[in-house]
Each structure stands twice: as structure tokens, then as C-alpha cells.
Amino acid sequence: MRHQFLVASPYLQDPRFHGAVIYLCEHSDEGALGLTVNHPLDIHLGEILEQLDMEGGELDVPVYGGGPVQTERGFVLHSPDAGWQNTARVSEDVLLTTSRDVLSDIGAGRGPENYLVCLGYAGWSEGQLEEELASNAWLTCPATADILFRTPWEDRYKAVLKLIGIDLNQLSESVGHA
């Protein structure tokens, strides 16, 4: 299920994922790792670069709360313009880097053309994501780099639902309520 979007369904009880769009970076028999790509934090990339004594303090780019696990750890999803120290290919058009060198290059203006920076990740142990999918906690669809990199964060939820075939404007507020 790598390179898929997960969208939290109304059946998912965890409030941390309400309205979340998660980009699934890894999925194997051992578990899964994804990054929430539509919940910006109250910090911008420039602030993080300054804290790390790197160039780019003027960058007014959102940083996303990637998930509740290891929230101090950074992840950069980016286009395949180049490779950095700890880079993994997620798909043909999306790479994941966890090393500081990509941040340094972004700050210096030498980074990838398209990127998202996340702190923390969403993780599932062996079989956990499959159980959640079977209980209708998540809706899924193939991911697109267009939604990931070129759709404003506040429109990603609606855009992914549209990919799935769901139009929020067609849903009634009273569905499921007596």
C-alpha cells in the first residue's frame, strides 16, 4: 500500500486523526509508516532552519504534524530532483529524506523543487493497519504528487475525497443521526 493516501473515516475514534490525510510511505509485513500532510503546526520552516543554525530563516513554509510518533524527528517528502544522505524512494515521483542535508540545501536554495516537511509520523505495528482498514477506519486511494505537492494543504482532504469519488457537497449533515 505504499504511495497511497489514507483518509480518516468517521468511524475512526482517534481525535488526532480527525480530517487527516496521510501519505503512506512504507507498508510491509512488519507494519506501516505514514505522514499526515494536511495538519500544519504553529511553526514555519524558517524557524526550524534558524534553530538548526542553517540558512533560510526567511522561509515562510508550513511544517506539518506528521503524526504522534517521535514528534521531534523530521521527515521531508520531496520530488526526485536529487538524493541526499538518508533518502528512500517511495514512488517514481516522491522521495523521503530524513537527513539534515536536505534541510540545509532547502535553506540555501538548492533543495528539491517540491517538498513538504513533517515532524513526527503515524505508525502501525504488524497487522494493525490491516485491522483498521477492515473496520472501515480509513478510506484509501492511490496518491498523486499533484495533490501532495501542488494542492494547498487546506484543500488536500477534499481533493483526496474527490479522488475516491466522494463529494462533500453532496453529503447531508443529518446522515447517520436520528
Side-chain angles (χ1 to χ4, degrees):
M1 288 193 52
R2 175 188 294 197
H3 191 56
Q4 296 274 316
F5 284 127
L6 301 178
V7 176
S9 84
Y11 301 107
L12 184 64
Q13 298 299 315
D14 191 333
R16 296 174 296 184
F17 295 110
H18 178 74
V21 173
I22 295 178
Y23 177 73
L24 203 55
C25 301
E26 184 60 50
H27 183 244
S28 70
D29 293 340
E30 298 170 14
L33 179 141
L35 299 170
T36 303
V37 295
N38 68 328
H39 289 169
L41 299 170
D42 289 330
I43 188 169
H44 287 87
L45 182 55
E47 294 173 70
I48 289 176
L49 295 174
E50 282 181 355
Q51 290 174 10
L52 296 172
D53 290 325
M54 294 180 181
E55 294 178 68
E58 72 285 350
L59 289 175
D60 188 22
V61 175
V63 173
Y64 300 92
V69 182
Q70 292 186 1
T71 56
E72 72 288 346
R73 188 168 173 207
F75 298 85
V76 181
L77 289 170
H78 58 88
S79 50
D81 308 306
W84 285 270
Q85 286 178 2
N86 294 321
T87 299
R89 180 173 294 281
V90 180
S91 73
E92 280 187 32
D93 48 4
V94 180
L95 302 179
L96 173 66
T97 297
T98 58
S99 53
R100 289 173 52 121
D101 57 341
V102 70
L103 292 175
S104 178
D105 282 357
I106 288 170
R110 298 184 305 267
E113 180 181 347
N114 300 298
Y115 62 88
L116 294 175
V117 177
C118 299
L119 292 177
Y121 67 92
W124 294 266
S125 60
E126 178 183 341
Q128 182 182 4
L129 181 57
E130 291 78 4
E131 288 175 20
E132 291 181 12
L133 288 167
S135 69
N136 296 318
W138 299 100
L139 304 173
T140 67
C141 71
T144 69
D146 190 50
I147 290 176
L148 194 59
F149 296 126
R150 289 177 278 289
T151 301
W153 69 264
E154 59 271 9
D155 297 332
R156 289 183 189 138
Y157 181 75
K158 200 173 203 174
V160 172
L161 288 181
K162 186 176 181 181
L163 264 184
I164 295 170
I166 298 171
D167 182 354
L168 284 178
N169 297 325
Q170 300 294 320
L171 296 179
S172 168
E173 297 259 343
S174 62
V175 171
H177 299 284

